[in-house]
Amino acid sequence: MAGPVTIDWGDGTPKEDGPEQGTVTHKYADGITGERTITVCSKDDPTACTTVKFTPGGETPDNPLKVTAVEDTTDAQRMTVKASVDNTGKGAVRVDWGDGSAAVQGPEKGDVTYKYPRAGQFTITVSDADDSARKGIAQVTVPFGPVVEQPKAAAEQDASDATGRTAHLTWEAFPEGSVMVNWGDGTALQRGLDAPAGEATHQYGPSVEGEQQIVVTSETDATKQATATFTPKAGETPEEPQVTAESDDADATGRTVAVAWTGFPAGTVSVSFGDESPEQKGQPAPEGTLTHKYGDDVVGEQTITVVSDADTTVKATATFTPLPVDTPEEPEEPAEVKVTIAEDPADTGRLSVLVTADNGGKPVAVDFGDESEPVDNAGDGTAQSKHTYGAAGTYTVTVTDKDDTAKTGSAEVTVPFTGDTPAPAPTGRRRYR
């Protein structure tokens, strides 16, 4: 260390002054036992210290390994330490600088220097090269100079803005170079501002309320930051931004939207229509209108968003659903096969039936329910399949789609027919297997 020092013997006695270099002795009282930490600090910079351990009354080796650590004054950056080692008669040593770097070999007696790559407090451990249990330690804090002033920032109301919504920010003690400012309201970072000290102003948008945290960060060392707070004064309540979206009367297809907006900050807005079309920037504000025709591939509800270019936190939305594009109508396919059974008037024995199937024109197979072979039917609701039962009874007639066997319809018939007018046949149903 450069200059005079103070010595704390670790036993509760007052600190003593000591020279920059030399030897100082201290006698511990008889009641003082156990290991003590002796701390030597610079009088000019109390944060620059080194420590050693000593146990009063304990057994002391005949030839202890001794180590002290002081500043190497040849380093103008004050990051270099000089460790003095005394291992007389025991040979070379290994020196661990305590910062994760590889240990180095040291002399039996002499000095070893090391420049730390970063600031901090480190414990230097020196051990006998042949007996690792034989060691000595010293502590050092780098850099050896005074504590570096931390960056500061302060914000107050800008006197030139009577609304009280403009912050005047100042900062100091940053590294040389430049800083950037985050104003806390979602606006873009302000970069390339002067350092180590400087100032800037920022007007908050009408929708910004409450305390804002402002962060100043060095652009050369991101670990150097400072914060300040600013609360914009509440102003007149701005008109709430609104957006409407309706079908444009000029387009009979119903696929063009007419958008209107009001209540935005003066300047311009950007409009997006919810599809993949480009955003329409630079539209007039606080109010304006715009139309947009959706492509044929756009279906369903679309969300239209209008955002202030002056304050991106101010936005409003509306929805619009383009009418479907006209396409040829396809005939609806029945959900099930319909079956109609009637008496064959040509059969005097009244055992014959006429079966009509309606399957949207798709062919079906008709099973008469008496173990006879099914017959084909056009399924168009007009073709009749005739069948004569061999015996009286009640039968279930089942009609099945020839391409989709899960699609069926059925009805019951009792033969021979009575003389009464036949009752309407039951409707078909779809069976799922």
Side-chain angles (χ1 to χ4, degrees):
M1 297 180 189
V5 298
T6 60
I7 306 170
D8 184 344
W9 296 100
D11 59 354
T13 58
K15 294 181 181 179
E16 295 184 14
D17 292 338
E20 178 179 351
Q21 294 183 346
T23 302
V24 181
T25 62
H26 177 75
K27 183 175 181 179
Y28 287 90
D30 292 341
I32 301 299
T33 59
E35 185 178 75
R36 301 289 156 169
T37 299
I38 304 171
T39 305
V40 182
C41 298
S42 168
K43 289 193 70 174
D44 297 330
D45 179 11
T47 65
C49 302
T50 184
T51 63
V52 294
K53 305 290 185 179
F54 179 74
T55 303
E59 294 184 5
T60 303
D62 293 336
N63 186 13
L65 194 160
K66 301 176 183 177
V67 57
T68 59
V70 296
E71 178 186 2
D72 180 356
T73 57
T74 63
D75 178 11
Q77 295 179 333
R78 311 195 74 178
M79 295 292 291
T80 301
V81 63
K82 178 170 66 174
S84 298
V85 179
D86 185 354
N87 195 32
T88 303
K90 298 295 184 177
V93 298
R94 291 180 63 78
V95 182
D96 183 342
W97 299 106
D99 64 345
S101 61
V104 298
Q105 185 170 348
E108 180 177 308
K109 185 175 182 179
D111 297 334
V112 186
T113 60
Y114 176 69
K115 184 172 183 176
Y116 283 94
R118 66 181 188 276
Q121 187 176 52
F122 304 97
T123 298
I124 303 169
T125 304
V126 180
S127 57
D128 191 300
D130 299 320
D131 179 8
S132 60
R134 176 180 168 80
K135 63 180 63 177
I137 63 172
Q139 289 188 326
V140 64
T141 300
V142 293
F144 287 95
V147 177
V148 177
E149 184 181 3
Q150 295 301 310
K152 299 176 183 177
E156 59 184 5
Q157 180 181 326
D158 183 20
S160 65
D161 180 5
T163 68
R165 299 191 61 81
T166 298
H168 178 239
L169 177 69
T170 59
W171 60 88
E172 59 182 77
F174 278 84
E176 292 287 343
S178 61
V179 298
M180 59 183 176
V181 178
N182 182 341
W183 294 99
D185 59 352
T187 56
L189 295 176
Q190 193 169 352
R191 298 179 177 274
L193 302 173
D194 292 340
E199 60 182 333
T201 59
H202 177 72
Q203 185 177 39
Y204 287 91
S207 64
V208 178
E209 298 179 354
E211 183 179 85
Q212 307 297 307
Q213 185 177 56
I214 305 168
V215 181
V216 185
T217 305
S218 167
E219 291 188 310
T220 56
D221 180 358
T223 65
K224 302 297 185 183
Q225 287 187 330
T227 61
T229 58
F230 179 77
T231 302
K233 282 188 177 180
E236 296 181 0
T237 303
E239 182 183 353
E240 190 72 19
Q242 295 182 349
V243 177
T244 60
E246 299 177 349
S247 180
D248 183 13
D249 293 338
D251 181 5
T253 68
R255 298 191 60 80
T256 299
V257 63
V259 182
W261 58 89
T262 61
F264 282 82
T268 59
V269 296
S270 296
V271 183
S272 59
F273 294 95
D275 55 2
E276 295 182 356
S277 62
E279 186 178 37
Q280 298 298 306
K281 297 179 177 293
Q283 301 301 314
E287 59 186 37
T289 60
L290 193 63
T291 60
H292 174 72
K293 184 171 184 177
Y294 288 95
D296 291 348
D297 59 335
V298 177
V299 295
E301 183 178 85
Q302 307 298 309
T303 298
I304 300 163
T305 304
V306 181
V307 181
S308 168
D309 292 331
D311 181 357
T312 56
T313 65
V314 180
K315 62 179 66 176
T317 61
T319 59
F320 178 77
T321 302
L323 292 180
V325 177
D326 289 337
T327 55
E329 293 186 2
E330 295 183 1
E332 292 185 3
E333 180 183 343
E336 57 191 17
V337 183
K338 296 181 179 180
V339 182
T340 304
I341 301 176
E343 177 184 357
D344 180 6
D347 180 11
T348 58
R350 311 193 78 173
L351 291 173
S352 296
V353 296
L354 297 173
V355 178
T356 304
D358 185 356
N359 192 32
K362 293 185 177 181
V364 297
V366 182
D367 185 339
F368 295 97
D370 61 351
E371 299 185 355
S372 61
E373 288 294 324
V375 299
D376 290 342
N377 186 291
D380 60 3
T382 61
Q384 294 181 325
S385 298
K386 179 178 179 180
H387 180 69
T388 302
Y389 288 96
T394 298
Y395 300 92
T396 299
V397 179
T398 303
V399 180
T400 305
D401 189 309
K402 298 199 71 172
D403 296 324
D404 180 5
T405 58
K407 185 178 179 184
T408 65
S410 64
E412 286 187 348
V413 62
T414 300
V415 295
F417 288 96
T418 66
D420 299 331
T421 302
T427 58
R429 61 184 182 276
R430 185 182 180 97
R431 297 189 300 181
Y432 295 90
R433 301 176 181 175

